[in-house]
Amino acid sequence: PATAFPSSRRRQAVATQPAVRRALLITVSLTALQQLSGVANLFNFSSTYLLARGFSDATCASVAVAVHASNVCATLLTALLMDYLGRRRLLLASTFGAAACAALLTLAAASPLEPWAPPLCIAAAAGFVGSFALGLGPVALLLPAEVFPAAYRSTGAALASSVHWTAQFATTFVFLLQAERLGAAAFVPHAALLLFGLVFAAVHVPETRGKSLDQIEKELSRS
């Protein structure tokens, strides 16, 4: 078991074993991206952000309902699609979708008095959360259990989880200042990070559906 390995040996494994090194790169990067995407800010600060941009209370309430409904529906859909489409396809599609919806949300936030802005804002916010829940949300949490070699799986998963919560704290901690400074463009940094994450996932994240843990380890060792 992983607990039998001293920390010095785990550090040596990261330096010398390609499978461990690449698994660490993939899981830490995706769990960080998961929160740096800004999805938590939509749940926590959407009303504050939108009211400051000039949207009505009714629009803010509709956004709050839409993002939660979208999250539930997309999560249920993901349970059906995960083993049908595969982790990689869902991850890539959801990351692109979240980035596109963040851009549309920015467009709506920049023109709050236009008649098309409120419905676009609601649709973009719901699409953002729904896209996240379809892939980036669940896949980033599932991969640590699939890509780490057995001896290092618990340690790797714990490290990925620590990065997840640290990134969430950092993202939510700075968002109100970020919104104050950037105004309508508050979600632009998140969209940019999502596009960067899309390229990273396309290059580095393998498909794990239908593969044994030994097959995944061998694939990561060869890469």
Side-chain angles (χ1 to χ4, degrees):
T3 52
F5 290 86
S7 59
S8 60
R9 187 165 179 182
R10 293 197 188 103
R11 290 194 295 268
Q12 184 181 20
V14 173
T16 61
Q17 297 184 25
V20 177
R21 188 166 59 246
R22 189 174 175 207
L24 187 64
L25 172 67
I26 291 169
T27 56
V28 166
S29 298
L30 288 184
T31 50
L33 176 66
Q34 188 190 59
Q35 295 307 314
L36 295 176
S37 69
V39 69
N41 295 332
L42 268 181
F43 284 108
N44 295 329
F45 303 117
S46 62
S47 293
T48 302
Y49 169 67
L50 294 174
L51 286 172
R53 299 309 311 154
F55 287 96
S56 67
D57 289 337
T59 298
C60 294
S62 296
V63 167
V65 172
V67 296
H68 285 85
S70 178
N71 189 42
V72 171
C73 293
T75 300
L76 295 174
L77 182 60
T78 302
L80 301 175
L81 296 178
M82 185 69 75
D83 287 324
Y84 179 71
L85 294 178
R87 286 79 160 128
R88 179 180 164 84
R89 286 184 182 178
L90 286 177
L91 176 64
L92 295 176
S94 72
T95 304
F96 176 80
C101 289
L104 292 174
L105 181 62
T106 300
L107 177 63
S111 308
L113 300 181
E114 297 292 338
W116 47 263
L120 178 60
C121 178
I122 296 168
F128 191 125
V129 173
S131 295
F132 175 89
L134 277 174
L136 182 56
V139 171
L141 296 179
L142 175 63
L143 283 181
E146 295 187 331
V147 299
F148 278 105
Y152 305 97
R153 191 163 297 134
S154 60
T155 301
L159 180 58
S161 181
S162 298
V163 171
H164 167 95
W165 291 113
T166 301
Q168 184 184 69
F169 170 78
T171 303
T172 54
F173 184 78
V174 304
F175 182 74
L176 291 179
L177 177 60
Q178 180 177 314
E180 180 182 341
R181 296 289 177 85
L182 299 180
F187 280 90
V188 169
H190 301 302
L193 286 168
L194 283 163
L195 291 176
F196 177 81
L198 177 64
V199 175
F200 173 87
V203 173
H204 292 286
V205 179
E207 179 55 71
T208 59
R209 179 189 60 160
K211 297 178 182 177
S212 69
L213 298 177
D214 287 340
Q215 286 176 311
I216 295 170
E217 182 177 347
K218 289 177 181 178
E219 183 176 339
L220 293 178
S221 296
R222 291 194 300 267
S223 301

